[in-house]
Amino acid sequence: MLLLQRAVVSEFRQACRLKSTPSKLCIRACSTNDSFQPQCPSLTFSGNNSSTRGWRVTGTLLGLGAVLAYYDYRCKAAQESPRIYTREEVRSHSSPETRIWVTLGSEVFDVTEFVDLHPGGPSKLMLAAGGPLEPFWALYAVHNQSHVREILAQYKIGELSPEDKVPSTLKTSDPYADDPIRHPALKVNSQRPFNAEPPSELLTENYITPNPIFFTRNHLPVPNLDPETYRLHVVGPPGGQSLSLSLDDLYQFPKHEITVTLQCAGNRRSEMTQFKEVRGLEWSTGAISTAHWAGARLCDVLAQAGHQLCETEAHVCFEGLDSDPTGTAYGASIPLARAMDPEAEVLLAYEMNGQPLPRDHGFPVRVVVPGVVGARHVKWLGKLSVEPEESYSHWQRRDYKGFSPSVDWDTVDFDSAPSIQELPVQSAITEPKDGETVESGEVTVKGYAWSGGGRAVIRVDVSLDGGLTWQVAELDEEEQRPRKAWAWRLWQLQAPVPAGKKELNIVCKAVDDSYNVQPDTVAPIWNLRGVLSNAWHRVHVHVHAAP
Amino acid sequence: MLLLQRAVVSEFRQACRLKSTPSKLCIRACSTNDSFQPQCPSLTFSGNNSSTRGWRVTGTLLGLGAVLAYYDYRCKAAQESPRIYTREEVRSHSSPETRIWVTLGSEVFDVTEFVDLHPGGPSKLMLAAGGPLEPFWALYAVHNQSHVREILAQYKIGELSPEDKVPSTLKTSDPYADDPIRHPALKVNSQRPFNAEPPSELLTENYITPNPIFFTRNHLPVPNLDPETYRLHVVGPPGGQSLSLSLDDLYQFPKHEITVTLQCAGNRRSEMTQFKEVRGLEWSTGAISTAHWAGARLCDVLAQAGHQLCETEAHVCFEGLDSDPTGTAYGASIPLARAMDPEAEVLLAYEMNGQPLPRDHGFPVRVVVPGVVGARHVKWLGKLSVEPEESYSHWQRRDYKGFSPSVDWDTVDFDSAPSIQELPVQSAITEPKDGETVESGEVTVKGYAWSGGGRAVIRVDVSLDGGLTWQVAELDEEEQRPRKAWAWRLWQLQAPVPAGKKELNIVCKAVDDSYNVQPDTVAPIWNLRGVLSNAWHRVHVHVHAAP
């Protein structure tokens, strides 16, 4: 029986590798209240035109596997009677050593034996270890089938204690107490303010990053804003009228939709830290995500307020409704020329992947500045004005700037460097992960590549030998609009593992349409804030000895 | 006497280092017939607001030195009677071993003893060794003073033979026979077609490159066009009128003036060749120059012909009046969006540094596409049209594209890469030169930095130890217009030579305002055509042992 079941799983795996296998991956975009009930999927992505989307699982094979697994494990359920566990107890079972428990509703399951059989791969299931399955099933609606529940039923070991059936709330004296509940898959770099990134194995699973795992970079507590009373204050030109726009007012402007990748200036900072200490959050490769945004164009709103492009340099200053205990709000600015240029497509966005913005991403309105560093995409936007100077905020003038490796905190002169606007060309490997063991034979390398300023990525070179020789990766087929390539390209390379190799030093580097390239190494671009970390991405893996 | 004279020269040298010393450097811009009489300077640059312009020589000290030198050498002239030499004989005296001869008019001088005393530095005088002084005196009008002629008179050793007083003409059967006469300072990479670059020590002597030494990249013989009968054919839109514009017609459009750096895609190719052979001319660091251009804006001319920006991608195709024996003309194209954007400032230029274009640079009209590779700045412009596709010319489709290092001539697919338009960030060291010996104590490093697409250079880092530690160079004060930084920045660093060092590995790297940086090494950006060579520039020098 076990042998038969193994054979079926092996078939699952083969199905996963078939590029042409049609598959549907349903992703529930996060709604404003950020809850994770695996209810009706509201966005459906067809995965059959892209090799990077979704799991390669056929419903037929899954169904067959489920039936076989059902018979294999039904006796187990009959023999054990349910016990009561606390969430704390469940959390302590999150590794093969302690066994791997998960919950669904009020039920507790020990899925240790199933991890290696999980059609999406063991690492995906391990993301839920010690916690609830709902947030992951909400992402991957393929689970919402009766035979999947039947498989799971075989692993049930008990029930959650009644007081643990709803998550505990945060203390109310905490300024962050009102922050939304987040997806447990996020790798948290800081709880307060909340800063988190999707794990590498989920990051490039989809071209569009699902809202619940879109990287989150907050500087302050998340404001809880009432969409009914929300107003955006648009300061008019000298002698002109200011505007106070409700959400309904913003909906009256032509709705503009674009797919845009956002990247934090600190993405991949952890690689700089490895060379020499920097000040900043330890972002790995995940401080970057892509969404489809909709909203009013900033140029339309500025025009309505009577603003015009002027000969002298000017800036549009944004103020968020998030603030610190002294009342200082988050702020940033962009040049007026970009703001007024219809081709630059700067948005006051109120939708993210077809849903109202999630609270963590600026509900009800945020700025989206295509091709520009995340720090200028001000969330919870409360006010905008046109000024002769850049925003005087800390984040515009005393942060988010690049310096020479020779500059330290004793010698830094923040006025000597321009604020980061457009970002340089970037790429990273998301599969395999550093330290992983890959099979001999063939290796699949996957990742993302992106460049600032609307410059399209035209090529990604991948090396398996630390940069001595290179192969050209296959890029996704997503449309790249000339001068408006605002979103990343996902890429992959399938290449033979050179015979006899016990390890691989995998490297990637991207080229954009200005033929800018990434620098070879981190040390010469090191800077005291650890921003702009775009050296070649390097991953070291072991090769599993052939049997 | 000799000691006194040495002391004066030492004062010259000190004056050279004084940043605040006012100096005038007069440069005669090249006229259309490319002759080099050192007559009335038509362009005067004030050097007192920039440390990188001109020689730091005071007229007073020069005068004093001349008087002293006059007494020192007058007896020499009296003792030797003039002899007759051929140009061939003069040419053979171009090194300290053979002695260093130069000519002025019909006179021949042996300046071997003066080389080390030359206020502009020995290397500048050596550029004229074995040939005429006129082209260099035309560049540096400071020589046009009676006391300079008096110094020179002391070194006279004879006269040119009568038949050698005018340069020999080229054979008339040669398709290149009608090419203009070029400045002898140019380092020639190919005579036919003519391709040449200014020597490193002249390249960054001036922010604006004098016309006679502006790098020249010709693909075909230089056409000899009559400005009276010249016409530019502008193909009209479907159903519209075409235009045939004379030079006078072009002068009727608003005259637009901009300072723009042009760079050949092959600049610094010789560094790629050192790694692995490529096909292409062996450019050093001088396939880049800067001029002040004036002409009609392409967008104005296109508008007059009835062209409009369209929703679908389109291209403006240019055709030169230079052609090969089969009649195939040089051609290239740029996207219509750039051509129609007034902010992109694409010119149909008829003036270069205040003069009609020199023949080598496209007389009477060339395209200037700020921020874009030189190959698109079509010279001797004969025709332009708006097309749904890029130019079908060899130079657009089968050349001037970048590829992965893994691509060779057996595997290259030219259609797989976009044509080069905007160039990546670039910088190079022009002083000291590779292999030179520098004094212990302090070293002065000079160079240029530039980026494509109007992106300003915001920082240049210089290392004296091969890239382990860095210092920030001082940038010139030239205006950098936001998004329209079309011209290079000259930079310099004065730094102590670390005690005990016998050699220095000097490296430079630039950062632009998108925070793109240059790659560390050449090998990973190597490509079969040797274009886009923008790795860190490295110069190895010896340090003169302290006395």
Side-chain angles (χ1 to χ4, degrees):
Chain A
M1 185 68 215
L2 192 63
L3 265 176
L4 178 56
Q5 203 259 353
R6 284 254 158 92
V8 170
V9 168
S10 156
E11 276 189 81
F12 281 11
R13 294 261 160 91
Q14 284 181 353
C16 294
R17 290 194 196 100
L18 284 175
K19 280 194 181 183
S20 58
T21 307
S23 69
K24 289 266 181 193
L25 169 62
C26 306
I27 299 178
R28 201 189 63 81
C30 188
S31 69
T32 306
N33 63 8
D34 301 79
S35 62
F36 300 111
Q37 292 79 9
Q39 61 213 15
C40 56
S42 54
L43 271 184
T44 302
F45 295 94
S46 168
N48 60 357
N49 61 349
S50 163
S51 58
T52 55
R53 285 181 178 171
W55 306 339
R56 314 280 168 257
V57 184
T58 65
T60 311
L61 283 173
L62 190 63
L64 177 60
V67 171
L68 293 169
Y70 177 79
Y71 284 109
D72 193 25
Y73 290 102
R74 68 179 308 173
C75 43
K76 196 170 172 185
Q79 285 160 8
E80 291 170 30
S81 59
R83 278 189 51 192
I84 303 299
Y85 300 103
T86 64
R87 280 201 185 272
E88 194 58 43
E89 281 176 285
V90 175
R91 249 195 299 278
S92 68
H93 292 83
S94 60
S95 69
E97 293 72 34
T98 58
R99 301 195 69 78
I100 296 148
W101 293 10
V102 294
T103 65
L104 186 72
S106 61
E107 296 178 297
V108 180
F109 307 89
D110 178 345
V111 293
T112 314
E113 307 301 328
F114 185 68
V115 167
D116 277 345
L117 311 177
H118 184 241
S123 69
K124 301 284 189 333
L125 180 49
M126 284 303 291
L127 291 170
L133 286 171
E134 282 90 338
F136 300 91
W137 285 25
L139 277 180
Y140 300 103
V142 69
H143 292 92
N144 295 324
Q145 302 184 58
S146 57
H147 54 257
V148 180
R149 290 194 167 254
E150 283 168 5
I151 294 174
L152 187 66
Q154 313 316 312
Y155 299 102
K156 181 168 173 180
I157 54 168
E159 297 268 340
L160 277 175
S161 63
E163 63 273 22
D164 270 351
K165 285 179 185 173
V166 289
S168 62
T169 52
L170 299 162
K171 287 175 202 156
T172 49
S173 64
D174 177 357
Y176 292 93
D178 199 27
D179 266 21
I181 295 168
R182 276 84 182 208
H183 197 283
L186 288 169
K187 285 166 57 191
V188 178
N189 295 317
S190 150
Q191 271 295 354
R192 296 162 199 212
F194 188 74
N195 286 284
E197 62 190 300
S200 159
E201 56 270 54
L202 293 187
L203 187 57
T204 53
E205 196 78 356
N206 303 287
Y207 184 75
I208 298 291
T209 316
N211 288 359
I213 60 163
F214 198 100
F215 91 92
T216 302
R217 195 329 175 202
N218 293 345
H219 295 84
L220 296 162
V222 176
N224 204 342
L225 303 172
D226 177 354
E228 296 301 318
T229 58
Y230 169 81
R231 294 294 180 274
L232 169 62
H233 183 60
V234 182
V235 179
Q241 277 279 317
S242 291
L243 305 177
S244 178
L245 302 174
S246 69
L247 265 182
D248 275 341
D249 293 334
L250 275 174
Y251 298 153
Q252 302 312 309
F253 289 90
K255 184 175 179 178
H256 195 74
E257 303 194 28
I258 39 174
T259 302
V260 177
T261 295
L262 262 65
Q263 183 182 208
C264 179
N267 191 29
R268 301 181 57 200
R269 178 180 283 130
S270 54
E271 292 163 63
M272 279 200 176
T273 313
Q274 281 168 28
F275 170 69
K276 193 169 133 188
E277 197 191 355
V278 300
R279 289 193 196 161
L281 296 164
E282 284 292 291
W283 296 105
S284 179
T285 53
I288 183 168
S289 299
T290 300
H292 189 73
W293 307 90
R297 288 196 306 188
L298 176 58
C299 60
D300 295 340
V301 173
L302 287 171
Q304 174 142 331
H307 288 287
Q308 294 182 320
L309 199 52
C310 47
E311 273 302 297
T312 55
E313 191 69 1
H315 304 265
V316 178
C317 297
F318 305 115
E319 237 181 72
L321 292 164
D322 49 337
S323 61
D324 69 15
T326 72
T328 304
Y330 184 80
S333 64
I334 62 170
L336 178 63
R338 184 182 295 275
M340 292 293 282
D341 181 4
E343 298 296 305
E345 301 187 288
V346 182
L347 287 194
L348 304 183
Y350 45 74
E351 274 183 24
M352 179 176 181
N353 295 331
Q355 295 288 319
L357 298 185
R359 281 186 57 210
D360 260 334
H361 298 290
F363 179 81
V365 177
R366 80 174 301 171
V367 187
V368 171
V369 195
V372 162
V373 64
R376 314 300 167 213
H377 302 229
V378 176
K379 302 196 271 194
W380 314 291
L381 184 65
K383 179 183 166 187
L384 62 88
S385 60
V386 178
E387 310 286 351
E389 301 281 341
E390 284 191 298
S391 166
Y392 280 89
S393 92
H394 168 84
W395 299 278
Q396 189 78 17
R397 302 226 167 196
R398 293 292 174 270
D399 200 352
Y400 296 120
K401 295 188 170 193
F403 294 96
S404 171
S406 59
V407 172
D408 61 27
W409 289 100
D410 294 329
T411 59
V412 64
D413 169 13
F414 271 97
D415 292 330
S416 70
S419 61
I420 301 171
Q421 295 280 344
E422 292 182 4
L423 284 171
V425 60
Q426 174 71 288
S427 73
I429 297 160
T430 55
E431 181 184 327
K433 291 207 285 186
D434 197 53
E436 214 173 274
T437 298
V438 301
E439 294 302 314
S440 60
E442 194 175 66
V443 64
T444 299
V445 186
K446 290 185 182 180
Y448 63 78
W450 180 78
S451 189
R455 293 180 281 280
V457 167
I458 60 166
R459 199 181 80 231
V460 174
D461 295 330
V462 177
S463 174
L464 302 183
D465 55 12
L468 293 176
T469 62
W470 299 91
Q471 299 175 66
V472 178
E474 187 187 341
L475 301 176
D476 68 41
E477 308 262 298
E478 296 291 335
E479 188 201 357
Q480 299 281 304
R481 289 185 301 160
R483 297 167 300 282
K484 292 189 263 188
W486 308 132
W488 64 15
R489 298 193 84 162
L490 304 186
W491 54 265
Q492 71 169 6
L493 176 80
Q494 280 178 301
V497 174
K501 284 277 177 192
K502 292 189 176 149
E503 52 183 10
L504 300 175
N505 288 303
I506 310 178
V507 185
C508 76
K509 64 182 174 82
V511 185
D512 73 17
D513 62 11
S514 290
Y515 281 97
N516 272 303
V517 298
Q518 298 176 241
D520 311 18
T521 58
V522 173
I525 57 165
W526 183 94
N527 59 83
L528 75 177
R529 272 292 274 122
V531 291
L532 305 156
S533 183
N534 74 328
W536 299 353
H537 190 222
R538 296 158 191 271
V539 160
H540 177 258
V541 298
H542 308 276
V543 178
H544 193 263
Chain B
M1 186 68 216
L2 190 65
L3 266 176
L4 178 56
Q5 203 261 354
R6 286 255 158 92
V8 169
V9 169
S10 155
E11 277 191 82
F12 282 10
R13 296 263 161 89
Q14 284 183 353
C16 294
R17 290 195 197 101
L18 284 175
K19 281 195 179 181
S20 57
T21 306
S23 71
K24 289 268 178 191
L25 168 63
C26 304
I27 300 178
R28 201 187 64 81
C30 187
S31 71
T32 306
N33 62 9
D34 301 80
S35 63
F36 300 113
Q37 292 78 11
Q39 61 213 17
C40 57
S42 56
L43 269 185
T44 303
F45 295 95
S46 168
N48 59 357
N49 63 349
S50 163
S51 58
T52 56
R53 284 182 178 174
W55 306 340
R56 312 282 167 253
V57 184
T58 65
T60 312
L61 283 173
L62 189 62
L64 177 61
V67 170
L68 293 169
Y70 177 78
Y71 285 109
D72 192 24
Y73 290 103
R74 69 179 308 170
C75 44
K76 195 171 173 183
Q79 284 160 10
E80 291 170 29
S81 58
R83 278 188 53 192
I84 303 298
Y85 300 103
T86 64
R87 280 202 184 272
E88 194 56 42
E89 281 176 284
V90 174
R91 249 196 298 278
S92 67
H93 291 82
S94 61
S95 68
E97 294 71 35
T98 58
R99 301 195 69 76
I100 295 147
W101 294 8
V102 295
T103 65
L104 187 72
S106 60
E107 297 178 297
V108 180
F109 307 89
D110 178 346
V111 294
T112 316
E113 307 300 327
F114 185 68
V115 167
D116 276 345
L117 310 177
H118 185 241
S123 69
K124 300 284 188 332
L125 180 48
M126 285 303 291
L127 291 169
L133 286 171
E134 282 90 338
F136 300 91
W137 285 26
L139 276 180
Y140 300 105
V142 69
H143 294 91
N144 294 325
Q145 302 184 60
S146 58
H147 55 256
V148 179
R149 288 192 169 257
E150 282 165 7
I151 294 174
L152 187 67
Q154 314 315 313
Y155 299 102
K156 182 168 174 180
I157 54 169
E159 298 268 340
L160 279 175
S161 64
E163 65 273 21
D164 269 352
K165 284 180 184 172
V166 290
S168 62
T169 53
L170 298 163
K171 287 175 201 156
T172 50
S173 64
D174 177 357
Y176 291 93
D178 200 26
D179 266 21
I181 295 169
R182 277 83 181 208
H183 197 283
L186 287 169
K187 285 167 55 191
V188 178
N189 295 317
S190 151
Q191 271 295 353
R192 297 162 198 210
F194 188 74
N195 287 284
E197 61 189 301
S200 158
E201 55 269 56
L202 293 187
L203 186 58
T204 53
E205 196 79 356
N206 303 287
Y207 184 75
I208 298 291
T209 316
N211 287 359
I213 60 163
F214 198 100
F215 91 93
T216 302
R217 192 343 173 189
N218 293 345
H219 295 84
L220 295 161
V222 177
N224 203 343
L225 304 172
D226 178 354
E228 296 301 317
T229 58
Y230 168 81
R231 294 294 181 275
L232 170 62
H233 183 61
V234 182
V235 179
Q241 279 277 316
S242 291
L243 305 177
S244 177
L245 302 173
S246 68
L247 265 183
D248 275 341
D249 292 336
L250 275 174
Y251 297 154
Q252 303 312 309
F253 289 90
K255 184 175 180 178
H256 195 76
E257 305 194 27
I258 40 172
T259 302
V260 176
T261 295
L262 262 65
Q263 184 182 209
C264 179
N267 190 30
R268 301 181 55 200
R269 177 181 284 129
S270 55
E271 293 161 63
M272 277 197 178
T273 314
Q274 282 168 28
F275 170 69
K276 194 169 131 190
E277 198 191 353
V278 300
R279 288 193 198 161
L281 297 164
E282 282 293 288
W283 296 106
S284 177
T285 52
I288 183 168
S289 300
T290 299
H292 190 73
W293 307 91
R297 288 195 306 187
L298 176 58
C299 60
D300 294 340
V301 173
L302 287 171
Q304 176 143 328
H307 288 289
Q308 294 182 321
L309 199 52
C310 47
E311 273 302 296
T312 56
E313 192 69 0
H315 304 266
V316 178
C317 296
F318 306 115
E319 237 181 72
L321 292 164
D322 49 337
S323 60
D324 68 16
T326 72
T328 304
Y330 184 80
S333 63
I334 61 170
L336 179 63
R338 184 182 294 276
M340 293 293 282
D341 181 3
E343 298 296 306
E345 301 187 288
V346 183
L347 287 193
L348 305 182
Y350 45 71
E351 275 182 23
M352 180 177 180
N353 295 331
Q355 295 286 318
L357 298 185
R359 282 186 57 210
D360 261 332
H361 299 290
F363 180 81
V365 176
R366 79 174 301 171
V367 187
V368 171
V369 195
V372 162
V373 64
R376 314 302 167 213
H377 301 230
V378 176
K379 301 196 272 194
W380 313 289
L381 184 67
K383 179 183 165 187
L384 61 90
S385 60
V386 177
E387 311 285 352
E389 301 282 340
E390 284 191 297
S391 166
Y392 280 89
S393 93
H394 168 85
W395 298 278
Q396 189 78 18
R397 302 226 167 196
R398 292 292 174 267
D399 199 352
Y400 297 120
K401 295 186 169 193
F403 295 95
S404 171
S406 59
V407 173
D408 61 28
W409 289 99
D410 293 329
T411 58
V412 65
D413 170 12
F414 271 98
D415 292 329
S416 70
S419 62
I420 301 172
Q421 295 282 343
E422 293 184 2
L423 285 171
V425 61
Q426 174 70 289
S427 72
I429 297 160
T430 54
E431 181 184 326
K433 292 207 285 188
D434 197 52
E436 214 173 274
T437 297
V438 301
E439 295 299 315
S440 61
E442 194 176 67
V443 64
T444 299
V445 186
K446 290 185 183 180
Y448 63 77
W450 181 76
S451 190
R455 293 180 280 281
V457 167
I458 60 165
R459 199 180 79 230
V460 174
D461 294 330
V462 177
S463 173
L464 302 183
D465 55 12
L468 293 176
T469 62
W470 299 90
Q471 299 175 65
V472 178
E474 189 186 341
L475 301 177
D476 68 40
E477 308 259 299
E478 297 290 336
E479 189 201 356
Q480 300 282 302
R481 288 185 303 159
R483 296 168 301 283
K484 291 189 264 189
W486 307 131
W488 64 13
R489 298 193 82 164
L490 304 185
W491 54 264
Q492 71 169 7
L493 176 78
Q494 282 178 300
V497 174
K501 284 276 175 193
K502 291 186 177 152
E503 52 183 11
L504 300 176
N505 288 303
I506 310 179
V507 185
C508 75
K509 64 181 174 82
V511 185
D512 74 16
D513 62 10
S514 289
Y515 282 96
N516 272 302
V517 298
Q518 299 176 241
D520 310 20
T521 59
V522 172
I525 58 165
W526 182 94
N527 59 84
L528 74 176
R529 273 292 276 119
V531 291
L532 305 158
S533 181
N534 75 327
W536 298 353
H537 189 223
R538 296 160 191 269
V539 159
H540 177 257
V541 299
H542 307 278
V543 178
H544 194 263

